[in-house]
């Protein structure tokens, strides 16, 4: 006979306000539901025919974009499991700069497929084991699918061709113009060793008005403002960069001065003027012809700068100030005074030009083959893409597409292998993982086969976004038939649906970087596995007092 141990009631483990959810029903399936919702939100924005989302963030700023990285950054996801997925897509953004939406959609689909297995009675650890095996197999097979490499040495046409599929997924219809601009800018800043390509050396300046056809690449840095003084053009000059204001230093305390006559009035400011003149004379004597100011420029300071024939440009962004310091190879100074030989920079051309009715200032180093080129500034070359467009939102979206393109160039310089795009690679991987799953023994094979069907989501979404749901299913079945044939690895979705909705990706040069696909599969699987391995959620009470409800009506109304 066993003794019955009395069960303690109301055993308080956590402080008041804690939430504790556990078990399959409360924790795992609820997490999967939250992630499915996030995945479905960005799914309609996938591919060239993806729809735009109109977002208004907490500061009231408006965004019109189909870029998944921007969407998830601005919607501020608070669900803890969905945050894991957001982190995975942010890792993809920082690593590759592209395929963030692939991570979100694929991880969401993996979790949706796992839901059926869990409800059927499989343990999460068996599903995790199957997913990890399938991921390993998919990555191994991906290595064999590379059809071509980015040709070396790089030319404008070869780079533009590799960028077109990436840019078309964000700005369909403008991919030819944008990829040509990005390729031209990237080649202008590419050093003798392309491995040292710096993404930061390709800048974008947006000027409202005109249309995309008026956009162009300018060698050097472009600032959307004119210089402050009378000097508008300087060549082969020494540059000083100051982060402080070019003005008379304000005293900490205020004093009252009694002036008795006109002479005292004249002498009162003369001391300050003499001091300021001495400082700018020292700067001029050191050979400086251009000053970049990180803050305000006073009237008196401007007077002396004009007198000493020194050009002065105001750059209010600290990031731009850092970039311009790198371009001219100068040290930003926190005090006004003559820079030493090591602190001063050098620029070949400083000029003011007009772009679409706007006066802009260009700082550039001469390139190879230009008259006066001395090879000094090889490392500090910068190119700026000047974008034209009708609205600020459209220009912002074009900038995001360019940003993706530049990041993809960096990825391709590390790993130049390309695989068929248009969903062909994912479908082929799905087919091969499915065959691999059929040969496995044990419960893990169910998860491996579900992983294979989850890979279908990429071509399915492309087809659905372009052609609609019913037609999308037909295209997918045609694709499966073509992939079953020998040598059918490169068949993908034709979003223009000219024939039967399918095309040979290699013939149409729709090729994606292998590295971006590899990272997307890896990160999506990791995120899905992390969510499946959670069995309980413990949330503490948020800090801060109770939220005061807003009063309706006027605050001093009696009724």
């Amino acid at each position: 006979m066993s003794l019955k141990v009395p069960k303690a009631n109301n055993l308080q483990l956590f402080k008041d306000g804690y939430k504790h959810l556990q078990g399959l029903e409360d924790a795992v399936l609820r997490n999967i539901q939250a992630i499915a919702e996030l995945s479905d939100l960005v799914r309609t924005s996938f591919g060239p025919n993806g729809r735009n989302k109109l977002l208004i963030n907490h500061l009231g700023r408006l965004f019109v974009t189909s870029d998944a990285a921007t969407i998830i950054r601005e919607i501020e996801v608070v669900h803890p499991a969905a945050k894991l997925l957001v982190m995975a897509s942010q890792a993809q953004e920082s690593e590759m700069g592209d395929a963030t939406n692939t991570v979100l959609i694929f991880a969401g689909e993996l979790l949706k497929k796992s839901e059926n297995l869990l409800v059927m009675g499989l343990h999460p650890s068996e599903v995790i084991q199957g997913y990890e095996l399938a991921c390993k197999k998919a990555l191994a097979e991906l290595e064999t699918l590379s059809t071509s490499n980015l040709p070396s040495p790089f030319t404008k046409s070869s780079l533009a061709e590799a960028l077109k599929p990436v840019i078309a997924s964000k700005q369909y219809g403008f991919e030819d113009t944008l990829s040509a601009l990005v390729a031209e800018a990237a080649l202008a800043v590419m050093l003798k060793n392309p491995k040292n390509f710096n993404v930061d050396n390709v800048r974008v300046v947006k000027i409202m008005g005109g249309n995309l056809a008026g956009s162009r690449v300018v060698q050097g840095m472009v600032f959307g403002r004119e210089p402050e003084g009378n000097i508008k053009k300087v060549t082969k000059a020494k540059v000083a960069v100051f982060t402080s204001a070019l003005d008379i230093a304000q005293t900490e305390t205020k004093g009252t001065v009694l002036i008795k006559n006109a002479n005292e009035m004249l002498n009162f400011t003369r001391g300050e003027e003499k001091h300021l003149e001495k400082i700018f004379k020292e700067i001029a004597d050191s050979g400086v012809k251009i000053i970049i100011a990180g803050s305000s420029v006073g009237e008196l300071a401007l007077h002396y700068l004009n007198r000493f024939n020194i050009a002065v440009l105001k750059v209010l962004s600290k990031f731009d100030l850092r970039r311009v310091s790198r371009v001219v190879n100068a040290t930003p100074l926190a005090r006004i005074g003559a820079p030493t030989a090591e602190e001063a920079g050098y620029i070949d051309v400083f000029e003011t030009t007009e772009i679409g009715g706007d006066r802009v200032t260009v700082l550039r180093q001469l390139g190879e083959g230009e008259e006066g080129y001395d090879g000094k500034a090889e490392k500090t070359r910068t190119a700026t893409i000047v974008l034209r467009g009708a609205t600020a939102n459209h220009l912002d979206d074009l900038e995001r597409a360019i940003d993706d393109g530049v990041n993809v160039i960096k990825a391709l310089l590390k790993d130049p292998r390309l695989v068929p795009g248009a969903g062909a690679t994912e479908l082929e991987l799905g087919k091969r993982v499915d065959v691999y799953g059929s040969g496995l023994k044990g419960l893990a094979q169910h998860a491996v086969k579900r992983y294979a069907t989850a890979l279908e989501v990429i071509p399915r979404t492309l087809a659905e976004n372009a052609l609609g749901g019913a037609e999308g299913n037909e295209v997918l079945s045609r694709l499966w038939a073509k992939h079953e044939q020998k040598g059918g690895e490169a068949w993908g979705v034709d979003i223009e649906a000219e024939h039967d909705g399918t095309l040979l990706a290699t013939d149409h040069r729709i090729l994606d970087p292998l590295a971006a696909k590899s990272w997307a599969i890896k990160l999506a699987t990791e995120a899905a596995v992390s969510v499946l391995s959670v069995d309980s959620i413990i949330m503490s009470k948020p800090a801060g007092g109770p939220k005061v409800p807003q009063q309706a009506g006027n605050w001093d109304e009696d009724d």
Side-chain angles (χ1 to χ4, degrees):
M1 184 183 151
S2 62
L3 282 166
K4 191 179 177 196
V5 179
K7 203 173 182 184
N9 287 328
N10 300 328
L11 182 73
Q12 193 162 3
L13 186 61
F14 303 118
K15 280 166 83 175
D16 283 344
Y18 261 81
K19 268 189 199 167
H20 186 205
L21 307 165
Q22 66 181 40
L24 186 69
E25 202 58 51
D26 265 358
V28 186
L29 296 182
R30 278 179 67 167
N31 284 350
I32 291 172
Q33 209 179 334
I35 284 169
E37 212 168 298
L38 177 66
S39 168
D40 288 344
L41 179 75
V42 292
R43 195 168 159 174
T44 51
S45 295
F46 184 64
N49 288 68
R51 320 308 294 158
N52 281 346
K53 299 275 182 279
L54 196 149
L55 308 167
I56 297 165
N57 71 0
H58 64 292
L59 299 170
R61 193 175 162 206
L62 186 78
F63 294 86
V64 182
T65 182
S66 64
D67 181 39
T70 308
I71 294 167
I72 59 165
R73 188 170 59 243
E74 296 305 329
I75 58 176
E76 292 184 74
V77 175
V78 293
H79 192 282
K83 265 190 176 170
L84 287 172
L85 193 53
V86 170
M87 285 174 197
S89 73
Q90 282 169 345
Q92 176 76 9
E93 175 73 4
S94 60
E95 193 65 45
M96 283 288 135
D98 185 39
T100 44
N101 210 342
T102 307
V103 174
L104 291 163
I105 293 170
F106 183 43
E109 192 68 12
L110 281 175
L111 288 164
K112 278 185 205 169
K113 298 288 180 208
S114 69
E115 189 174 358
N116 299 351
L117 296 174
L118 295 170
V119 171
M120 274 162 48
L122 254 76
H123 194 270
S125 63
E126 287 154 353
V127 179
I128 289 169
Q129 189 191 352
Y131 276 4
E132 283 173 346
L133 283 170
C135 178
K136 209 172 179 182
K137 177 66 179 169
L139 292 172
E141 289 294 339
L142 185 65
E143 298 288 317
T144 66
L145 286 176
S146 173
T147 53
S148 61
N149 284 6
L150 187 68
S152 183
F154 308 112
T155 61
K156 186 180 167 184
S157 57
S158 70
L159 270 180
E161 203 170 75
L163 291 173
K164 265 181 206 171
V166 176
I167 291 172
S169 68
K170 299 279 184 298
Q171 291 291 332
Y172 189 47
F174 300 127
E175 68 271 19
D176 292 340
T177 314
L178 287 174
S179 55
L181 286 171
V182 176
E184 189 186 333
L187 280 173
V189 301
M190 219 171 268
L191 308 171
K192 287 187 172 69
N193 179 9
K195 289 269 192 298
N196 296 336
F197 174 73
N198 187 355
V199 175
D200 213 31
N201 285 352
V202 177
R203 294 186 66 250
V204 175
V205 165
K206 297 166 286 191
I207 296 178
M208 290 264 282
N211 62 1
L212 188 63
S215 304
R216 61 192 176 97
V217 175
V218 178
Q219 307 282 347
M221 271 188 96
V222 176
F223 295 97
R225 63 190 305 152
E226 281 192 86
E228 301 301 305
N230 300 334
I231 317 315
K232 305 290 184 194
K233 180 167 181 175
V234 188
T235 54
K236 295 197 174 299
K238 234 178 168 186
V239 186
V241 180
F242 296 109
T243 56
S244 57
L246 301 184
D247 207 351
I248 301 153
Q250 295 293 319
T251 53
E252 282 181 24
T253 55
K254 284 187 177 179
T256 309
V257 178
L258 193 65
I259 292 170
K260 296 190 176 71
N261 53 41
N263 282 339
E264 284 183 10
M265 180 86 169
L266 287 170
N267 294 334
F268 176 63
T269 55
R270 196 159 288 159
E272 280 182 350
E273 287 170 19
K274 286 267 188 287
H275 177 65
L276 212 54
E277 185 179 10
K278 182 171 167 266
I279 289 171
F280 288 119
K281 188 162 188 335
E282 279 173 16
I283 292 172
D285 290 345
S286 70
V288 169
K289 289 269 181 256
I290 302 163
I291 286 178
I292 310 288
S295 191
S296 60
V297 179
E299 297 271 322
L300 192 59
L302 203 55
H303 164 72
Y304 287 119
L305 287 164
N306 285 337
R307 191 198 279 185
F308 292 121
N309 286 332
I310 297 174
V312 59
L313 178 70
K314 232 178 359 180
V315 177
L316 298 177
S317 158
K318 65 176 181 182
F319 302 107
D320 277 348
L321 201 67
R322 205 176 294 158
R323 281 192 194 103
V324 83
S325 299
R326 196 176 65 237
V327 168
V328 300
N329 202 13
T331 308
L333 303 172
R335 47 158 185 88
I336 311 177
T340 62
E342 293 80 32
E343 289 169 338
Y346 178 84
I347 194 86
D348 285 332
V349 180
F350 172 96
E351 62 186 350
T352 306
T353 58
E354 196 168 302
I355 297 175
D358 284 35
R359 305 281 290 166
V360 296
T361 306
V362 180
L363 281 91
R364 66 188 178 94
Q365 306 287 19
L366 292 173
E368 212 169 326
E370 286 188 70
E371 198 182 326
Y373 172 71
D374 52 12
K376 271 189 205 169
E378 179 68 23
K379 280 186 185 169
T380 59
R381 278 196 291 185
T382 303
T384 302
I385 299 170
V386 179
L387 278 181
R388 307 300 312 282
T391 67
N393 284 318
H394 181 53
L395 284 171
D396 287 345
D397 216 24
L398 289 172
E399 186 184 7
R400 286 181 203 112
I402 283 174
D403 191 43
D404 277 12
V406 175
N407 279 302
V408 164
I409 287 180
K410 184 159 189 185
L412 285 170
L413 291 174
K414 286 182 187 168
D415 184 350
R417 290 175 298 169
L418 296 163
V419 291
T425 299
E426 286 83 359
L427 203 69
E428 183 62 26
L429 288 178
K431 187 189 105 179
R432 293 185 187 188
V433 170
D434 192 56
V435 172
Y436 166 70
S438 302
L440 287 174
K441 291 188 175 75
L443 289 171
Q445 64 168 306
H446 297 293
V448 173
K449 289 177 88 71
R450 288 296 161 114
Y451 190 99
T453 52
L455 278 160
E456 257 185 51
V457 75
I458 303 297
R460 183 189 295 279
T461 306
L462 279 172
E464 282 175 2
N465 286 351
L467 314 162
E471 183 69 21
N473 282 337
E474 281 179 35
V475 168
L476 207 67
S477 58
R478 284 185 212 125
L479 275 178
W480 268 114
K482 287 183 177 175
H483 275 258
E484 290 300 328
Q485 295 164 8
K486 196 169 188 286
E489 295 94 346
W491 283 96
V493 178
D494 180 3
I495 54 162
E496 289 174 357
E498 283 175 358
H499 305 295
D500 60 352
T502 63
L503 53 73
L504 260 173
T506 43
D507 287 1
H508 289 76
R509 304 299 295 159
I510 302 171
L511 302 167
D512 294 338
L514 184 141
K517 289 252 187 278
S518 171
W519 275 101
I521 290 170
K522 216 180 294 176
L523 290 166
T525 310
E526 253 174 55
V529 163
S530 300
V531 172
L532 286 172
S533 57
V534 169
D535 76 330
S536 63
I537 306 170
I538 303 160
M539 286 190 284
S540 61
K541 187 181 174 185
K547 300 275 182 285
V548 181
Q550 279 192 330
Q551 292 172 331
N554 199 348
W555 59 274
D556 65 350
E557 276 178 12
D558 292 334
D559 46 308

